[in-house]
Amino acid sequence: MKDTILLIDDEPEYRKLLAKLIRLEGFNVIEADNGKSGLEVLHYEDISVVVTDVRLPDVSGLQLLGRIKTISPNCEVLVVTAFGRIE
């Protein structure tokens, strides 16, 4: 069975492009457009990796990291951003 990656990003064009690239590498991809939706997915899907943007409309990617690890401790998380600086 292929690993499933959860991709959380509120910018649809970027999310769709990244999802397409990940699928080309043979992974299953589930997309979510905000942190709340992403967390809901973790409750009913076996997710190997979460890729999340740092800036989401409802929660930051860094806040999301802690919540993901509470729900799914073995899930790997990659936090990304298009911004040049993170304070």
Side-chain angles (χ1 to χ4, degrees):
M1 183 163 73
K2 296 179 185 176
D3 286 330
T4 300
I5 295 175
L6 173 58
L7 179 55
I8 307 171
D9 198 301
D10 60 324
E11 295 186 35
E13 297 84 16
Y14 174 76
R15 190 179 66 245
K16 298 287 182 198
L17 176 62
L18 188 53
K20 183 177 181 177
L21 293 171
I22 293 170
R23 286 185 181 105
L24 287 173
E25 293 298 321
F27 295 97
N28 295 317
V29 178
I30 297 175
E31 299 177 47
D33 62 358
N34 61 57
K36 182 180 177 186
S37 297
L39 290 172
E40 289 175 9
V41 169
L42 284 171
H43 286 287
Y44 64 86
E45 293 287 342
D46 183 23
I47 303 296
S48 300
V49 178
V50 173
V51 178
T52 182
D53 190 7
V54 145
R55 294 191 180 196
L56 296 169
D58 56 347
V59 63
S60 80
L62 298 177
Q63 292 170 329
L64 196 58
L65 174 62
R67 294 180 187 171
I68 291 167
K69 288 300 189 175
T70 299
I71 296 167
S72 184
N74 295 323
C75 183
E76 298 295 332
V77 182
L78 178 62
V79 180
V80 297
T81 185
F83 293 96
R85 294 179 60 201
I86 298 176
E87 302 302 329

